[in-house]
Amino acid sequence: MTPKDFARTGVPGLDDVLSGGLTRRHVFLIEGSPGTGKTTTAMRFLLEGSEKGETCLYVTLSETEEELRDSAASHGWTLDERISVFEVVPAESLLDADQQQSLLYSSDLELGEATRQIFDAFERLRPQRVVIDSLSEIRLLAQGSLRYRRQILAMKHYFARQDATVLMLDDLTAEAHDRTVHSVVHGVIQLEELAPDYGAERRRLRVTKYRGQRYRGGYHDFAIKTGGIEVFPRLVALEHRVGYERTAQPSGILELDNLLGGGIDRGSSTLILGPAGTGKSLFAVQFAVAAIARGEKAAVFSFDEELGLMETRFEKIGIDIRAMCDSGALVIEQIDAAEMSPGEFAQRVRDCVTKGGMSTVVIDSMNGYQAAMPQENALVLHIHELLQFLNRQGATTYLTVAQHGLVGDMQSPLDVTYIADTVILLRYFEALGRVRRAVSVIKKRTGPHEDTIREFKISRKGLELGEPLHGFQGVLRGVPDFVGASDPLMKAEANDTVR
């Protein structure tokens, strides 16, 4: 089917879900409870037609023209001369109690009168795009499923002969679980609003029917913002692949690269595990800094730390984040877990890679990512699809997870170690009266790595790693025993910083 056979909705992301838009000369249904964005979607559909020189008609049975124009103005839109708003109001005689007659129900007259007014308005304008808002008023006037279905069928056949693309809106307030229109229309789009226990409301949509047309199934998050609706199509990693060379990406620290067997392979994901304060963010950012030094771009998505504090903290150890951001090589976004849906977050990451050219992505941390979807049952699937997408794009991804506890047995809030290609483990341990830090690589799918444990420290020089701790055992438990002949520990200096 060629692009000219589609009427694009103009809603960012929705045409992608619909695989092109709405098939012309057909009737479609958008349903959802009040406040889910039906009217906003419909107005954007008409504005898109107006921008292409098409005549459009908005038929309203429940709102006034002034209310619709005010709603459009709140998004910065103006309903121009190509978009006509027609209010369906009952004849004055039907509102006069003295002229009500008893042989026929008043609803019979009102339904016929409303339909006649709609058809008369169409005959005057001959629009290519029509919106009817809302079907709940027609359902109430019909007073029965059979009559309601026949009325919708009559309207469908009428518009089909006129080569018009029609959007019918239903606010689902008249009768619960009424699917009368579903079998009549060409396609159905359902809008939903969810209220989590904490945070802003979440909205999602699903295409439940589209005759003769492939579409992107499942639920897709969307948001209503000033300027309209934005849909975030569900990410399908298999649809995205670019060619790239899988080369080793060094960290810029020789000892760390030796521990990793030369570095992290491009197009792979790395999980950095450890308790709070061990330096997970620093390890992840170190790889981003090394990428920028090679002339590449990097993005950091921070769920946990305020950006001003992050800049100050890294500046103290010789990493000038602000300068890298000002140069355009680094993008840092602070994510508010209570305000953003998983779909919107995935879209932001996707845009950074495909549009911004970022080759290194840091997500700090997965604990915050989990907090962004407290009632989600498919968290691991979300992460898996996002990592697969980034890998197929040739982007190198670094994730951090804060484990519960400080020494001894550690508990992770979620198990994603099997998803990541490389796992770096950070630990505290006590030796000779000091709290020290150790790092080891416990998994690397893409090649060999050291099976040793190295001590590291964070100083004003940045991240420093020592030689393998051959003389200790039990380091990962947090309380090691010294069994060697000489002391392999790193020497403390005055400029060491304690985090």
Side-chain angles (χ1 to χ4, degrees), residues 5 55 86 109 115 166 176 263 265 293 303 329 333 356 393 454 470 495:
D5 295 319
T55 302
F86 178 70
L109 297 176
T115 305
V166 183
D265 282 12
F303 283 90
E333 287 197 37
Q393 293 293 309
R454 289 176 180 259
H470 294 302
N495 63 350

Side-chain angles (χ1 to χ4, degrees), residues 325-378:
C325 290
D326 292 342
S327 69
L330 178 66
V331 171
I332 300 180
E333 287 197 37
Q334 186 167 11
I335 307 299
D336 190 337
E339 300 296 324
M340 185 178 296
S341 68
E344 183 174 359
F345 173 69
Q347 186 66 45
R348 287 200 184 185
V349 176
R350 176 180 175 178
D351 289 342
C352 273
V353 174
T354 58
K355 298 179 181 178
M358 308 299 174
S359 62
T360 299
V361 175
V362 174
I363 300 177
D364 184 25
S365 65
M366 295 308 301
N367 306 71
Y369 189 35
Q370 183 184 31
M373 48 173 92
Q375 293 168 285
E376 276 284 348
N377 298 320

Side-chain angles (χ1 to χ4, degrees), residues 102-392:
S102 59
L103 295 179
L104 293 172
Y105 290 109
S106 60
S107 61
D108 296 333
L109 297 176
E110 289 179 9
L111 180 59
E113 178 65 19
T115 305
R116 184 189 62 79
Q117 290 186 43
I118 293 173
F119 290 167
D120 286 349
F122 185 91
E123 293 290 343
R124 289 195 303 271
L125 296 170
R126 292 289 174 180
Q128 287 83 43
R129 299 189 183 207
V130 181
V131 171
I132 298 178
D133 182 10
S134 75
L135 293 185
S136 60
E137 307 299 329
I138 297 176
R139 184 190 292 109
L140 288 171
L141 292 175
Q143 292 190 332
S145 294
L146 178 59
R147 193 157 181 259
Y148 176 53
R149 178 183 176 86
R150 287 178 175 175
Q151 190 67 34
I152 299 300
L153 274 170
M155 296 175 71
K156 171 188 173 180
H157 290 307
Y158 173 81
F159 288 122
R161 292 193 298 269
Q162 309 300 327
D163 292 336
T165 306
V166 183
L167 268 185
M168 292 182 171
L169 311 185
D170 191 352
D171 58 20
L172 303 178
T173 57
E175 186 176 344
H177 308 297
D178 188 344
R179 298 292 184 264
T180 302
V181 185
H182 286 214
S183 62
V184 176
V185 297
H186 197 71
V188 180
I189 303 173
Q190 293 180 341
L191 308 183
E192 296 182 9
E193 183 181 63
L194 307 175
D197 294 336
Y198 181 82
E201 69 278 357
R202 303 284 172 83
R203 293 181 172 91
R204 64 181 186 177
L205 64 83
R206 182 166 69 105
V207 180
T208 60
K209 173 186 177 182
Y210 200 160
R211 285 182 183 143
Q213 173 69 19
R214 294 180 62 88
Y215 58 87
R216 197 179 299 275
Y219 285 103
H220 311 273
D221 292 331
F222 73 93
I224 303 177
K225 304 177 180 179
T226 302
I229 284 178
E230 184 176 1
V231 177
F232 312 109
R234 182 174 58 84
L235 189 60
V236 180
L238 288 175
E239 298 177 355
H240 307 275
R241 180 186 288 275
V242 299
Y244 63 92
E245 184 180 356
R246 193 177 290 276
T247 55
Q249 309 290 299
S251 66
I253 300 175
L254 178 61
E255 294 82 2
L256 180 55
D257 291 334
N258 290 338
L259 184 64
L260 290 165
I264 299 295
D265 282 12
R266 183 182 179 190
S268 67
S269 56
T270 300
L271 182 65
I272 304 174
L273 284 167
T278 45
K280 300 180 297 299
S281 301
L282 175 57
F283 269 84
V285 170
Q286 177 63 43
F287 286 102
V289 171
I292 293 171
R294 295 192 298 269
E296 302 174 9
K297 293 184 178 180
V300 176
F301 296 91
S302 176
F303 283 90
D304 307 324
E305 191 170 4
E306 196 273 328
L307 297 187
L309 178 61
M310 179 185 290
E311 290 178 11
T312 302
R313 182 163 66 89
F314 280 104
E315 185 179 359
K316 290 180 179 179
I317 57 177
I319 299 177
D320 193 345
I321 288 180
R322 173 49 50 193
M324 289 184 282
C325 290
D326 292 342
S327 69
L330 178 66
V331 171
I332 300 180
E333 287 197 37
Q334 186 167 11
I335 307 299
D336 190 337
E339 300 296 324
M340 185 178 296
S341 68
E344 183 174 359
F345 173 69
Q347 186 66 45
R348 287 200 184 185
V349 176
R350 176 180 175 178
D351 289 342
C352 273
V353 174
T354 58
K355 298 179 181 178
M358 308 299 174
S359 62
T360 299
V361 175
V362 174
I363 300 177
D364 184 25
S365 65
M366 295 308 301
N367 306 71
Y369 189 35
Q370 183 184 31
M373 48 173 92
Q375 293 168 285
E376 276 284 348
N377 298 320
L379 172 64
V380 175
L381 290 178
H382 275 279
I383 300 170
H384 180 270
E385 205 68 21
L386 181 59
L387 291 182
Q388 286 294 315
F389 166 78
L390 292 171
N391 290 354
R392 290 170 180 269

